[in-house]
Amino acid sequence: LVLISLSSRRMARITSQLQQAATSRRNVRLDSPRPRRRRCRFLVCVAAQKNVGVFYTTGSRTTLKTAEKVVALLNSDSHNEKVNASLVNVRESQDFEEFECLVLGMPSYKWGEDPNEFPSALEFDTIQPPPGDPLDLMGKKCAMFGTGDRVGYGDYYIEGLARVWRMLDMRGATLVGKVDASGFEEAVQRSRAIVNGKFLGLPVDDNDEPEEREAAIEAWVAQVVSELE
């Protein structure tokens, strides 16, 4: 009987202690402020640079100078967060697959009277797609620029753009960087490089005033970068 009595008192004491502890914990939870969850108020998205290949072909080095300017602008502080450009001589490499986006520069080109004539001084229009993959440029964004003399040969001024775009279009590419052709001489309006009132790319005339030419290239590069997004 004594053992039972002691056990009962011990159990009662333990029970009381447990109840007091439980009450204390409840009071702590009720009295203490809940920790505030920290929420992310800003979401910063960092887009990867687009790898741009600036391919060129040139005879008098005029196109090369423009291509070098385009690459320098693409890699400048104004645009290098979005693009990373490389200069490529198309005679040395024709690997379009290596790049996410393409910029192709070329001189003017006289097609001749026969629209089916296919001699080339451009190199671009002789590049064939990989065997079994005729649409190897499907969805790839491409921009073009052409150099020439619109006064000396306005009627076929930068017509190389038309020939090269025909090749790119057949392979599935998407054209960016068109330029409004309004305001150009009547002879220039007959150029095959103009479609629906727009040049298929940037026209560059080395006879223009340097400041005017540089400003046009800078504006065009900014346009191309925005259209690559």
Side-chain angles (χ1 to χ4, degrees), residues 112-134:
E113 299 300 325
D114 183 358
N116 297 314
E117 182 184 10
F118 202 71
S120 175
L122 295 173
E123 282 79 38
F124 289 118
D125 55 1
T126 62
I127 300 175
Q128 299 298 319
D133 188 11

Side-chain angles (χ1 to χ4, degrees), residues 60 62-63 106-110 146-160 185 187-192 204-207:
S60 63
T62 301
T63 309
M106 66 216 69
S108 293
Y109 179 80
K110 187 175 182 180
T147 59
D149 181 353
R150 65 177 182 272
V151 176
Y153 40 87
D155 54 348
Y156 58 93
Y157 178 55
I158 66 170
E159 280 200 347
E185 296 84 349
V188 174
Q189 299 295 333
R190 295 194 292 269
S191 171
R192 290 183 176 92
V204 180
D205 193 327
D206 206 41
N207 296 314

Side-chain angles (χ1 to χ4, degrees), residues 161-180:
L161 298 183
R163 180 178 288 278
V164 174
W165 171 239
R166 184 173 68 177
M167 175 270 292
L168 294 173
D169 187 32
M170 290 175 60
R171 294 168 67 172
T174 299
L175 184 64
V176 299
K178 296 180 182 179
V179 175
D180 185 16

